[in-house]
């Protein structure tokens, strides 16, 4: 698959639990951004990493942390999950910061029960 | 908020009709992008128009940008049922392309 790959596609967790979402950007893309989308509404900007450095943070809860690794893949660690964390989580990548040609992954659907 | 009084939330048209969606933004941006999101999929970029461009075309799509009024439009000519999706405009909120900030979107339903 030459696109942005997200895993898992679907996940169900209990309230208070933990989860890890993974994003593999397009080869060579070092800019990775995460978004949250609830009920098909607008995409909320969560956080951006470029060249393994956090560049901007938006609505990312303090219970979540995101890291970008040497191969530019990104992981979102989610803890103390709350019911309102139930949403689609998308990541997108672009070649470099300042390049707006983003490609989105297919998303991870998280359901907290 | 980054956004002005937004485009219509939902549009329902017949296949073959033309449609225009609008958005207005409040913060300077170097680019405006239009995305389409089909059910169960991630957004896909349709058109990127830079602040020094007034119009950009791609197939049946035409985007315009008016930086003086900070507004943009996306037109689709000869719509198809497969154009049914949510359409978002997005800006970089003055970051020079480092992130994409999405508007609330317009839900377009094209009936065969």
């Amino acid at each position: 698959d030459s696109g942005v790959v997200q895993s898992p596609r679907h996940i169900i967790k209990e309230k208070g639990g933990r989860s890890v979402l993974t994003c593999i950007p397009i080869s060579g893309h070092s800019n990775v951004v995460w978004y949250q989308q609830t009920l098909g509404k607008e995409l909320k900007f969560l956080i951006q990493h470029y060249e393994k450095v956090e560049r901007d943070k938006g609505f990312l809860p303090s219970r979540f942390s995101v890291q970008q690794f040497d191969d530019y893949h990104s992981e979102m660690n989610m803890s103390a999950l709350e019911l309102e964390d139930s949403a689609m989580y998308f990541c997108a990548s672009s070649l470099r910061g300042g390049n707006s040609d983003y490609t989105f992954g297919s998303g991870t659907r998280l359901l907290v029960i | 908020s980054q956004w002005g009084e937004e485009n219509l939330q939902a549009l329902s048209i017949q296949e073959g009709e033309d449609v225009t969606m609008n958005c207005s933004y409040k913060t300077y941006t170097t680019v405006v992008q239009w995305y389409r999101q089909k059910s169960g999929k991630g957004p896909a970029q349709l058109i990127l128009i830079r602040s020094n461009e007034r119009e950009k075309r791609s197939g049946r799509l035409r985007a315009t940008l008016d930086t003086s009024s900070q507004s943009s439009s996306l037109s689709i000519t000869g719509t198809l049922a497969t154009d049914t999706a949510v359409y978002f405009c997005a800006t970089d909120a003055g970051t020079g392309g480092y992130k994409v900030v999405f508007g609330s979107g317009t839900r377009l339903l094209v009936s065969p």
Side-chain angles (χ1 to χ4, degrees):
Chain A
D1 190 334
S2 58
V4 176
V5 178
Q6 291 187 246
S7 62
R9 287 300 310 274
H10 307 272
I11 190 164
I12 301 174
K13 291 288 182 179
E14 291 189 351
K15 181 180 173 182
R18 306 172 65 94
S19 187
V20 179
L21 308 187
T22 299
C23 171
I24 301 175
I26 289 174
S27 180
H29 283 197
S30 58
N31 190 39
V32 175
V33 188
W34 285 89
Y35 293 87
Q36 180 195 61
Q37 185 178 40
T38 52
L39 298 174
K41 295 185 178 177
E42 68 183 277
L43 288 94
K44 272 189 193 176
F45 169 75
L46 295 179
I47 195 166
Q48 180 222 357
H49 283 79
Y50 174 56
E51 291 287 341
K52 299 175 288 181
V53 176
E54 179 186 312
R55 299 290 174 160
D56 199 353
K57 185 182 286 187
F59 292 95
L60 190 76
S62 58
R63 299 174 286 106
F64 297 0
S65 64
V66 177
Q67 188 177 358
Q68 187 177 34
F69 295 87
D70 288 346
D71 62 354
Y72 299 132
H73 90 270
S74 179
E75 291 183 1
M76 180 183 297
N77 279 273
M78 312 165 85
S79 61
L81 287 168
E82 300 176 357
L83 298 179
E84 51 264 37
D85 296 329
S86 296
M88 284 291 291
Y89 291 84
F90 291 100
C91 75
S93 72
S94 68
L95 188 60
R96 58 184 182 276
N99 181 312
S100 295
D101 283 328
Y102 283 87
T103 301
F104 278 75
S106 296
T108 294
R109 183 177 297 279
L110 170 67
L111 176 61
V112 181
I113 57 174
Chain B
S1 167
Q2 155 77 357
W3 303 99
E5 293 300 316
E6 271 266 52
N7 28 288
L8 287 172
Q9 294 298 303
L11 291 169
S12 183
I13 59 175
Q14 296 291 316
E15 205 170 34
E17 291 183 29
D18 299 343
V19 66
T20 295
M21 292 165 273
N22 301 292
C23 85
S24 61
Y25 55 93
K26 291 181 177 177
T27 305
Y28 169 77
T29 183
T30 60
V31 297
V32 170
Q33 303 176 65
W34 284 91
Y35 284 82
R36 176 175 65 193
Q37 185 178 26
K38 296 201 171 186
S39 182
K41 304 287 187 183
Q45 190 188 86
L46 298 175
I47 286 185
L48 183 156
I49 183 166
R50 299 190 183 280
S51 56
N52 62 351
E53 300 174 304
R54 297 189 66 82
E55 178 182 300
K56 199 153 188 185
R57 293 175 184 266
S58 176
R60 297 182 293 109
L61 307 177
R62 173 178 171 259
T64 66
L65 177 59
D66 184 340
T67 53
S68 62
S69 63
Q70 298 193 143
S71 63
S72 177
S73 71
L74 176 71
S75 299
I76 307 175
T77 56
T79 54
L80 305 170
T82 52
D83 292 325
T84 293
V86 179
Y87 291 80
F88 294 97
C89 74
T91 75
D92 67 11
T95 64
Y98 276 86
K99 68 182 184 186
V100 179
V101 179
F102 286 81
S104 56
T106 297
R107 190 173 298 276
L108 177 66
L109 174 62
V110 183
S111 302

